[in-house]
Amino acid sequence: MMAVTSLIPARFLCMISHLIIAITLLWSRDGNVKSCLPEDYTDAQYRSVDTGLLIGLILVIVFLAIEIIGFISGVSMFIHLAGLISTGAHASGSIALSYFLFEEWPCYTFWWIFSFCSVVPALIEVVLLIGIAGLKKVK
């Protein structure tokens, strides 16, 4: 039972760390954008890659906001499978985005991180929000 009760603070801390790293990456994405481009790039190429990364990071923040709202409202706080998936995804997302930020990985890796570490938990949260709050279903 102790492992189940410690899942709630771990999930919260993983979501907040993922959010902080995404905001940090949003502020300092210049190095990552340049690592996605050839050595002789044009301004149009730079703007295109920068816009794509900017949209992806904003989506990460929006998905995390949806998940934090669902968590804090109590809709998904005590559903252990959702908490376990969310904790694992956000912990992995925090670590992967940290490497993406500091090692300046190519941009295609961001979309893999985004899909597995942000989209999957957000979809689970939306399904739970609709199922529990919208349809008044009990787990």
Side-chain angles (χ1 to χ4, degrees):
M1 188 66 179
M2 184 63 178
V4 172
T5 58
S6 63
L7 185 63
I8 294 171
R11 180 180 178 194
F12 178 75
L13 289 174
C14 288
M15 285 191 295
I16 296 301
S17 70
H18 194 177
L19 179 66
I20 289 170
I21 293 169
I23 292 171
T24 303
L25 188 57
L26 184 66
W27 286 339
S28 60
R29 65 185 183 278
D30 184 56
N32 293 95
V33 171
K34 288 180 181 175
S35 73
C36 298
L37 295 167
E39 287 191 30
D40 54 340
Y41 59 88
T42 64
D43 287 336
Q45 289 174 321
Y46 182 87
R47 282 192 305 272
S48 173
V49 171
D50 185 47
T51 302
L53 191 58
L54 178 67
I55 290 170
L57 288 168
I58 289 173
L59 284 175
V60 168
I61 293 169
V62 167
F63 289 165
L64 277 164
I66 290 169
E67 197 168 354
I68 289 171
I69 289 169
F71 175 74
I72 300 255
S73 68
V75 172
S76 66
M77 185 179 292
F78 299 107
I79 299 175
H80 304 303
L81 182 61
L84 186 62
I85 292 170
S86 177
T87 303
H90 291 302
S92 301
S94 298
I95 293 167
L97 280 183
S98 296
Y99 275 106
F100 182 79
L101 176 65
F102 293 123
E103 299 292 327
E104 296 179 350
W105 285 351
C107 286
Y108 70 88
T109 57
F110 170 78
W111 296 107
W112 284 102
I113 298 167
F114 171 74
S115 61
F116 289 115
C117 300
S118 294
V119 174
V120 171
L123 283 176
I124 292 171
E125 189 71 33
V126 167
V127 167
L128 289 173
L129 283 170
I130 291 170
I132 293 174
L135 301 175
K136 304 289 185 206
K137 299 273 183 180
V138 180
K139 3 172 204 180

